Amino acid sequence: MKLYSYFRSSASYRVRIALNVKNLPYDYVPVHLVRDGGEQLKPDYRKVNLDGIVPTFVDGNEVMPQSLAIIEYLEETHPEPPLLPGTPAERAYIRSVALQVACEIHPLNNLRVLKYLKHTLCVDDDAKDAWYKHWIEAGFATLETHLAGDPRTGKLCFGDTPTLADACLIPQVFNAQRFKVDTAKFPTIQRIYDRAMQLDAFARAAPGAQPDAE
Ligand SMILES: N[C@@H](CCC(=O)N[C@@H](CS)C(=O)NCC(=O)O)C(=O)O
């Protein structure tokens, strides 16, 4: 198995967490998102990922884009330990937390969106940073209310063991902190992040632990 990844990419980080939770070894193929205009945009990489984004996962002859599709594939091919445990309703709950991050927050703050704001719409750095912060804080405020008020929340998003929800939330918290968002304003999210980072699967998936870390 092989993962095209960038150490700071939160979508790649989600898949790294899933692979580690399931204890699956893989080869790490770095794709530098900034160097030389972005290696993700080069024709060679576009042959494996039409969108020019990371991650891409390869298992034998199967080549897969999209972090959530990759994680669901891992869940089906390697069910233990489950990242989507419980009843259908509980799995819907876990997916809803994951999608709150993956659909409502992350796409608005992706590198290509920020580049478009800056270079095409000529938005200055302060306005671009305000955009980033606004969408993170709006999304985290909803998630905080959701997680703080739901009895299914434990040490992690759903009980005490890692799920797809944590695989999406933890990288987004890392990303928010990198862009100087004060995540302590969201105490449940902060507590879940602190707990997850004590776990080996999450620590080994962290950007600073990757072979391409700078
Ligand atoms: N929905 C995609 C999002 C992937 C994505 O946005 N990847 C970012 C890094 S986190 C990327 O490669 N950005 C490159 C760019 O914007 O040029 C997934 O979940 O895999």
Side-chain angles (χ1 to χ4, degrees):
M1 291 192 282
K2 188 160 83 174
L3 182 69
Y4 291 86
S5 173
Y6 178 58
F7 72 111
R8 280 199 193 110
S9 150
S10 46
S12 304
Y13 190 175
R14 295 173 196 156
V15 178
R16 299 195 301 255
I17 291 168
L19 286 161
N20 291 350
V21 166
K22 291 179 179 292
N23 217 5
L24 298 171
Y26 62 96
D27 293 327
Y28 188 103
V29 186
V31 179
H32 202 294
L33 296 191
V34 183
R35 189 191 301 142
D36 195 19
E39 291 174 357
Q40 75 279 21
L41 303 174
K42 305 289 179 211
D44 274 359
Y45 183 67
R46 287 238 160 149
K47 284 184 198 146
V48 294
N49 187 306
L50 288 173
D51 273 320
I53 50 180
V54 288
T56 304
F57 182 68
V58 180
D59 187 9
N61 293 326
E62 302 297 336
V63 181
M64 291 170 214
Q66 292 296 340
S67 61
L68 295 192
I70 297 165
I71 295 173
E72 295 253 3
Y73 170 79
L74 294 173
E75 182 74 356
E76 289 180 26
T77 52
H78 300 86
E80 294 298 329
L83 285 165
L84 281 162
T87 63
E90 287 168 335
R91 288 197 287 279
Y93 174 77
I94 292 165
R95 286 189 178 99
S96 76
V97 174
L99 292 171
Q100 172 73 19
V101 173
C103 298
E104 310 305 332
I105 300 176
H106 179 265
L108 291 160
N109 290 329
N110 197 359
L111 178 63
R112 58 186 178 173
V113 171
L114 300 180
K115 273 162 71 175
Y116 186 79
L117 283 173
K118 182 168 174 168
H119 300 300
T120 306
L121 300 183
C122 300
V123 157
D124 65 26
D125 280 341
D126 285 348
K128 176 172 71 64
D129 292 349
W131 165 282
Y132 178 91
K133 197 164 179 256
H134 171 77
W135 292 114
I136 286 276
E137 293 195 339
F140 275 7
T142 307
L143 257 186
E144 175 65 27
T145 307
H146 188 154
L147 290 167
D150 198 293
R152 290 169 285 202
T153 305
K155 290 182 182 157
L156 296 170
C157 290
F158 177 80
D160 297 340
T161 50
T163 64
L164 176 68
D166 305 296
C168 289
L169 178 62
I170 297 325
Q172 196 64 63
V173 175
F174 168 84
N175 196 267
Q177 291 177 344
R178 189 164 92 81
F179 284 91
K180 312 262 182 294
V181 172
D182 178 14
T183 53
K185 285 194 289 193
F186 310 101
T188 312
I189 291 174
Q190 182 70 56
R191 174 177 67 67
I192 290 171
Y193 178 79
D194 292 343
R195 169 63 189 157
M197 293 316 292
Q198 292 169 354
L199 304 175
D200 179 64
F202 287 79
R204 281 192 293 119
Q210 305 316 302
D212 56 339
E214 289 165 1

